[in-house]
């Protein structure tokens, strides 16, 4: 794969995209686009996606966190991207994003993922706004109860539940544009 090229993955159900990043960014920045970052783009699309119905996504809305996050990433990167499984999204992130090691280094628009284990279903979401200096952040993800994409976690609750209670790993990733060259299985 050449540097700057993207994997070819089909779009979710040919759904209409939300308003373009340019529309969202210009509204939030007063027209000053020179400080644009991919993380801010992901975050703005995330905010615009709150309330998105995930019931028709792979997983039937109950296990649709990877499909919901990949849809947002598809819009932010302006590439067709459909990754319905957490394990596949985790592998894609390892190949196309940088690992953030400390919660204190997180910014809005980063990805948080707790990959599934053999016996326990994992989850993935998008880091939102900082809510305390601990550091703690809001997290946006698919809701199992409502099958909607919502602001439904905090970083502290996520770590308490997925890391301590369920014994799953917690990883943080940041996408950069252009995507780095893939080093695994040609994707």
């Amino acid at each position: 794969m050449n540097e700057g090229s993207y994997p070819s993955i089909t779009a979710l159900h040919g759904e209409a995209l939300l308003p373009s990043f340019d529309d969202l960014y210009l509204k939030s920045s007063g027209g000053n686009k020179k400080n644009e970052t991919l993380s801010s783009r992901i975050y703005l699309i995330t905010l615009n996606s709150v309330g998105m119905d995930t019931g028709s996504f792979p997983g039937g809305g109950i296990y649709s966190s990877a499909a919901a996050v990949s849809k947002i990433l598809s819009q932010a990167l302006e590439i067709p991207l459909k990754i319905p499984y957490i394990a596949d999204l985790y592998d894609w992130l390892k190949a196309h994003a940088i690992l953030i090691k400390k919660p204190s280094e997180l910014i809005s628009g980063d990805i948080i993922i707790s990959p599934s284990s053999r016996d326990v279903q994992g989850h993935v979401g998008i880091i939102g706004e900082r809510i305390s200096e601990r550091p703690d952040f809001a997290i946006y993800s698919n809701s199992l109860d409502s099958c909607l994409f919502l602001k439904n976690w905090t970083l502290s609750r996520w770590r308490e539940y997925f890391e301590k209670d369920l014994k799953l790993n917690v990883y943080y990733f940041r996408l950069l544009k252009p995507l780095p060259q893939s080093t695994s299985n040609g994707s």
Side-chain angles (χ1 to χ4, degrees), residues 9-52:
I9 301 173
T10 57
L12 283 173
H13 308 296
E15 296 163 339
L17 295 177
L18 296 172
S20 75
F21 172 70
D22 290 338
D23 295 339
L24 293 170
Y25 192 84
L26 290 173
K27 285 179 189 171
S28 70
S29 68
N32 181 3
K33 198 173 166 186
K34 71 178 171 184
N35 294 323
E36 173 188 336
T37 67
L38 185 54
S39 293
S40 65
R41 181 180 179 111
I42 292 167
Y43 178 58
L44 287 170
I45 293 169
T46 296
L47 292 176
N48 197 48
S49 298
V50 170
M52 172 175 56

Side-chain angles (χ1 to χ4, degrees), residues 10-183:
T10 57
L12 283 173
H13 308 296
E15 296 163 339
L17 295 177
L18 296 172
S20 75
F21 172 70
D22 290 338
D23 295 339
L24 293 170
Y25 192 84
L26 290 173
K27 285 179 189 171
S28 70
S29 68
N32 181 3
K33 198 173 166 186
K34 71 178 171 184
N35 294 323
E36 173 188 336
T37 67
L38 185 54
S39 293
S40 65
R41 181 180 179 111
I42 292 167
Y43 178 58
L44 287 170
I45 293 169
T46 296
L47 292 176
N48 197 48
S49 298
V50 170
M52 172 175 56
D53 182 359
T54 61
S56 64
F57 288 7
I62 297 172
Y63 300 108
S64 297
S65 64
V69 168
S70 74
K71 178 176 177 152
I72 290 168
L73 296 179
S74 175
Q75 292 172 26
L77 293 166
E78 298 176 343
I79 62 169
L81 186 64
K82 178 185 176 186
I83 306 175
Y85 302 109
I86 291 172
D88 294 338
L89 183 57
Y90 176 59
D91 289 342
W92 188 87
L93 288 166
K94 288 190 302 185
H96 297 96
I98 60 169
L99 181 66
I100 305 297
K101 299 202 185 256
K102 299 179 198 168
S104 61
E105 297 171 353
L106 291 171
I107 60 174
S108 299
D110 287 343
I111 310 302
I112 184 170
I113 188 167
S114 292
S116 303
S117 71
R118 182 179 184 140
D119 302 317
V120 179
Q121 176 68 28
H123 201 57
V124 60
I126 298 175
I127 299 292
E129 58 279 0
R130 181 183 287 265
I131 57 175
S132 79
E133 294 302 315
R134 268 178 25 204
D136 205 359
F137 293 85
I139 297 175
Y140 296 80
S141 70
N142 180 58
S143 168
L144 296 175
D145 296 332
S146 66
C147 298
L148 297 173
F149 188 79
L150 302 170
K151 178 167 71 170
N152 55 355
W153 290 92
T154 63
L155 178 59
S156 57
R157 276 191 37 229
W158 185 291
R159 292 185 69 192
E160 180 73 28
Y161 182 68
F162 290 103
E163 193 170 46
K164 292 183 181 164
D165 294 347
L166 297 182
K167 308 292 187 228
L168 295 176
N169 292 319
V170 176
Y171 300 100
Y172 316 102
F173 289 95
R174 182 170 303 146
L175 284 171
L176 302 174
K177 197 171 183 178
L179 292 175
Q181 238 181 307
S182 175
T183 56

